[in-house]
Amino acid sequence: MLELDDLRSLVEVVESGGFNRAAKRLGVSKSIVSRRIARLETELGTRLLSRTTRGISPTEAGLEFKARSERILAELAEAREAAAQQS
């Protein structure tokens, strides 16, 4: 099952250009971010990131999944805000 933290991790890795920077932004270790991405790739059955000695870059599937993840996370933030305004 996909986890929201996994989606956030993918978005941060792509936006920041690396696991280390994403981990710092998320306040977790690099290994946690790496495990989250690996879990996503296993769950989806496809590579989301191309890893080289020079860094990472998103695959086509990674770009598409990132865009959709951003929408999901934005919708969740809006839902939380709407619920908070009701109380």
Side-chain angles (χ1 to χ4, degrees):
M1 185 163 121
L2 299 176
E3 302 285 333
L4 290 174
D5 287 336
D6 298 350
L7 302 182
R8 284 186 192 99
S9 293
L10 176 67
V11 170
E12 286 297 331
V13 168
V14 173
E15 287 183 356
S16 68
F19 288 93
N20 282 330
R21 283 174 269 179
K24 287 179 185 174
R25 285 182 176 182
L26 293 167
V28 297
S29 70
K30 177 185 170 187
S31 64
I32 288 174
V33 172
S34 180
R35 275 185 263 148
R36 288 176 179 171
I37 300 302
R39 184 170 49 218
L40 271 177
E41 291 178 328
T42 298
E43 182 86 20
L44 298 170
T46 190
R47 280 273 183 217
L48 299 173
L49 301 172
S50 292
R51 297 154 179 89
T52 66
T53 55
R54 294 183 177 212
I56 61 102
S57 61
T59 63
E60 282 294 316
L63 287 173
E64 177 67 25
F65 197 77
K66 175 194 176 275
R68 291 175 184 258
S69 295
E70 288 174 318
R71 289 194 296 269
I72 290 166
L73 295 169
E75 286 286 330
L76 178 59
E78 288 177 22
R80 284 183 175 159
E81 187 177 312
Q85 290 177 359
Q86 295 297 319
S87 40

